[in-house]
Amino acid sequence: QVQLVESGGGLVQAGGSLRLSCAASGLTFTLYAMGWFRQAPGKEREFVAAIGWGGTTTVYADSMKGRFTISRDNAKNTVYLQMNSLKPEDTAVYYCAAQFRSTAQAMRVSPVNYWGQGTQVTVSS
């Protein structure tokens, strides 16, 4: 059974930092592009960042560029999202996602194979 388990969410003040982790199991991790999406109450799920299955290419939503960094540790089957300079509008449930043999760019527009359950990030003003 494929499982994506997010952790690291919580409450942080505006301007602060947070690192999310997503531990994957039940799949050959290196064959999957990994990404992060988020969903705020009353809004559609939004792309945040992705890293290709080769691990060398990353893409970000425009509002996250320069603030968020996605990375992966294939030895640990884990993808991370380092979030800096957090803003109240970053408040959302953040979801980890996996897409088989995808590039980071393709993950923005292609269907996602697997989703995690999400972790809440709340940024206070």
Side-chain angles (χ1 to χ4, degrees), residues 5-79:
V5 181
E6 301 96 334
S7 62
L11 176 64
V12 65
Q13 293 183 335
S17 298
L18 208 60
R19 189 179 78 157
L20 306 182
S21 299
C22 172
S25 62
L27 51 73
T28 303
F29 186 71
T30 56
L31 297 181
Y32 287 79
M34 301 298 297
W36 291 93
F37 295 74
R38 69 186 186 186
Q39 188 167 24
K43 300 185 68 175
E44 295 183 347
R45 188 166 294 188
E46 173 188 25
F47 173 79
V48 174
I51 184 166
W53 68 295
T56 59
T57 302
T58 58
V59 296
Y60 299 89
D62 288 343
S63 63
M64 288 75 162
K65 290 180 179 178
R67 299 191 300 123
F68 291 8
T69 302
I70 188 170
S71 62
R72 65 192 296 162
D73 186 340
N74 290 334
K76 297 181 178 180
N77 284 10
T78 300
V79 63

